[in-house]
Amino acid sequence: MMTDVFPGQSSASALPKKESAASVMIQSIVAHLYEQQLGNLEGSVADYIPELGKISPDQFGIAVALESGELITAGDAANEFTIQSISKALTLAILLDLVGRGETYRAVGVQPSGDPFNSITLDPRTNRPFNPMVNAGAIAIAGRLRETLGPSAFEQVLTRMSQAAGRELRVDQTVFESERETGHRNRAIGHLLRAAEVFTVPVDEVLDLYFRQCSVLVTATDLAIIGATLGNIGTNPISGKEVFGIHTVRETLSVMFTCGMYDGAGDWACQVGLPAKSGVGGGIMGVVNRQLGIGVLSPRLDAAGNSVRGKLCCIGLAEELGLHAFDSTNSGSNFLRGMTEFDQL
Ligand code: GLU
């Protein structure tokens, strides 16, 4: 079964034999950023979910996955941690694929809210959550997924997440239980959404799905591959499997760009200029459309809830490779093409 569903599991054999010039260059930039940020201990670990407070704050891993299927990693890129809010981008994509944008946006908007991620608020104009990246929006999405997919909703979500990562992912049961026991705000949000008839299934079943999706274990390498899958028009560049539809990808990346980085989204758009999503577990997933995916793990967070070292690494990568969407030279969009031509010389 593993071979059918995850043909890219033995990724080493699927990797191209010859290292591209792009890969060699990115390798040295990633190694430099890793060394540069290793001693940066600013920020603090999220501990409002008791089990999250116990993770080692010093973990630091960077991964970049290219459209060619090449992988570049540094540090703890193979360490597992819970995906948390980064899952929100994926459940949005899964619902968009299942029911389309019209149905999806009946449950949730796409406006940045400017409110904290766990705010118990609906958009007064629509009585729907502002966007799918705040908890209310993600719980609305979970509600619609539970309605559409029935009791096996989580298994189906996990399968899609696994296909995007190219390996079989699993839940951290301890973190899941810790959040289920203490997630009172999320429960309140669930009841608010149920009262507003955003979904009609029982709130507990919806929250079970939401807490489980947040507790899925990933590595920085997984995040880079998932990011590269989104960047590669929805096809995992290592396994070659189509995971998300083309329209879904455009929609998901747009929402990540405007709403993906908590209250720091505007600042991120200016400084990094890439669609990205962060999670309170310390992960950041970034996407360079049609080029590459970035995954970083570093659990110490800034005041906006984004990984301190993760953000600095993304700023560094964007600067060094000219990846910012609106860079004056826009060298980002030509970067790999230029390198491919170089390889062909
Ligand atoms: N499971 C977390 C919560 O609902 C996710 C938050 C996050 O990563 O931003 O509080």
Side-chain angles (χ1 to χ4, degrees):
M1 173 196 158
M2 289 270 290
T3 3
D4 290 335
V5 184
F6 308 106
Q9 192 88 21
S10 56
S11 52
S13 61
L15 291 177
K17 302 268 178 296
K18 180 175 174 276
E19 245 181 332
S20 69
S23 159
V24 172
M25 176 183 272
I26 295 172
Q27 218 150 18
S28 82
I29 293 169
V30 164
H32 170 71
L33 287 168
Y34 179 79
E35 290 305 324
Q36 192 184 54
Q37 293 302 327
L38 190 59
N40 182 349
L41 304 183
E42 276 171 44
S44 45
V45 172
D47 56 6
Y48 73 97
I49 301 170
E51 276 304 311
L52 273 192
K54 297 181 189 167
I55 62 177
S56 159
D58 295 329
Q59 300 175 84
F60 183 30
I62 313 174
V64 175
L66 305 185
E67 236 188 18
S68 60
E70 290 167 291
L71 276 174
I72 296 110
T73 61
D76 302 322
N79 281 22
E80 286 192 317
F81 56 99
T82 53
I83 189 167
Q84 297 298 338
S85 269
I86 302 167
S87 66
K88 294 170 180 172
L90 303 179
T91 50
L92 166 65
I94 295 168
L95 187 67
L96 281 165
D97 265 348
L98 276 172
V99 301
R101 70 192 293 282
E103 257 315 298
T104 301
Y105 297 144
R106 258 190 271 286
V108 61
V110 289
Q111 294 302 327
S113 70
D115 289 329
F117 74 100
N118 58 1
S119 164
I120 307 182
T121 350
L122 299 180
D123 184 338
R125 296 164 305 169
T126 59
N127 216 23
R128 296 287 178 266
F130 281 93
N131 67 70
M133 302 291 126
V134 290
N135 286 10
I139 294 168
I141 299 268
R144 299 308 290 263
L145 283 170
R146 180 64 181 77
E147 266 174 7
T148 310
L149 297 171
S152 68
F154 177 69
E155 279 64 39
Q156 296 190 53
V157 165
L158 186 62
T159 299
R160 288 295 281 292
M161 288 168 80
S162 299
Q163 287 168 343
R167 72 178 185 105
E168 206 160 6
L169 302 177
R170 66 195 165 93
V171 166
D172 184 322
Q173 193 64 22
T174 319
V175 172
F176 163 65
E177 282 165 17
S178 178
E179 192 167 354
R180 188 177 51 182
E181 273 162 37
T182 57
H184 306 301
R185 280 188 82 86
N186 286 330
R187 237 169 256 290
I189 291 170
H191 285 283
L192 179 68
L193 294 172
R194 176 68 187 82
E197 294 180 346
V198 172
F199 53 76
T200 51
V201 284
V203 173
D204 280 347
E205 288 170 11
V206 174
L207 285 169
D208 190 86
L209 170 55
Y210 174 72
F211 293 144
R212 274 183 209 278
Q213 75 177 61
C214 289
S215 305
V216 169
L217 286 164
V218 288
T219 64
T221 301
D222 292 328
L223 291 183
I225 296 174
I226 297 170
T229 298
L230 287 167
N232 191 33
I233 337 175
T235 295
N236 182 315
I238 295 177
S239 69
K241 183 170 180 61
E242 188 184 326
V243 185
F244 302 116
I246 186 166
H247 299 296
T248 286
V249 167
R250 199 182 81 161
E251 211 66 35
T252 304
L253 293 181
S254 304
V255 175
M256 284 168 64
F257 192 80
T258 51
C259 312
M261 302 302 285
Y262 303 115
D263 310 341
D267 184 48
W268 179 275
C270 290
Q271 287 197 68
V272 188
L274 296 176
K277 184 72 200 89
S278 57
V280 290
I284 294 182
M285 175 178 78
V287 180
V288 184
N289 200 31
R290 309 302 300 274
Q291 295 187 68
L292 53 86
I294 301 168
V296 189
L297 161 66
S298 179
R300 291 193 182 89
L301 311 179
D302 64 18
N306 297 314
S307 165
V308 173
R309 290 193 290 204
K311 181 177 175 184
L312 291 168
C313 286
C314 290
I315 291 174
L317 279 168
E319 270 173 13
E320 295 291 331
L321 299 172
L323 300 176
H324 191 297
F326 310 115
D327 198 279
S328 60
T329 57
N330 201 11
S331 55
S333 43
N334 296 321
F335 174 73
L336 281 189
R337 208 171 311 132
M339 285 302 176
T340 308
E341 279 161 17
F342 183 81
D343 276 331
Q344 285 162 356
L345 289 179

